[in-house]
Amino acid sequence: MLALVVDDSRAMRSIVKKIVAAEGYAVLEAGDGVAALAVLDASAEVPSVALLDWNMPEMNGFDLLQAVRAQPRYSAMRVVMITTETELEFMGRALEAGADEYLMKPFDGAALRGKLALIGLAAA
C-alpha cells in the first residue's frame, strides 16, 4: 500500500509518515499541493490514501483535494484532511469536496489509525 503525506511542516510529515509506515504503507511526501501533484504524476502507483494539511503555501490542501477529485485516475484514492482548522465549516467544505475523513491537529497515532480504519485502510 502507498500513502501520500502532504504538509508544509517537515516535522508533521515525519510524524504522519511514522504512523502510516507502521501500518504497512510505503510513503510519498510533499510540502505543498503543487509538489504533491508533481509527486502523483511521477508515481506509477496511485496511493491508497492521501493525508493532506489544509494550510500550505503554493497550493493549499483544499485546492489539492479539489484537483485530485477532478482527475478520474485518483477516484479510488481515499483522502484524509489533517489540519488545525477546527471550525465545522471547514470540515463540511472538505467532506463536500470529496474528503473521506477529517482529523484535527493535534492528534495521536491512535486517532490517525482510527480514521484509517473508518475508511477501510487499517485495523482500529
Side-chain angles (χ1 to χ4, degrees):
M1 293 187 297
L2 184 63
L4 172 64
V5 177
V6 186
D7 198 302
D8 58 324
S9 165
R10 185 172 297 159
M12 186 55 63
R13 285 196 313 270
S14 178
I15 291 166
V16 173
K17 179 179 179 177
K18 182 177 179 182
I19 295 166
V20 297
E23 293 294 316
Y25 286 87
V27 181
L28 300 173
E29 298 179 54
D32 62 59
V34 171
L37 289 175
V39 166
L40 285 170
D41 286 344
S43 177
E45 182 182 351
V46 174
S48 299
V49 64
L51 304 129
L52 313 179
D53 183 25
W54 193 299
N55 297 303
M56 299 180 290
E58 301 300 318
M59 175 188 277
N60 67 40
F62 183 76
D63 291 342
L64 175 58
L65 170 64
Q66 291 180 307
V68 164
R69 289 300 183 224
Q71 296 184 40
R73 177 178 187 222
Y74 305 118
S75 62
M77 183 171 67
R78 304 297 204 146
V79 176
V80 178
M81 298 297 294
I82 301 179
T83 179
T84 57
E85 296 298 346
T86 59
E87 295 179 23
L88 290 178
E89 172 191 341
F90 284 90
M91 183 185 301
R93 284 179 57 206
L95 295 173
E96 211 171 270
D100 295 286
E101 274 297 333
Y102 195 96
L103 180 60
M104 295 175 201
K105 295 176 186 175
F107 62 91
D108 61 15
L112 179 51
R113 286 189 298 276
K115 293 296 183 178
L116 291 173
L118 282 173
I119 59 175
L121 296 177

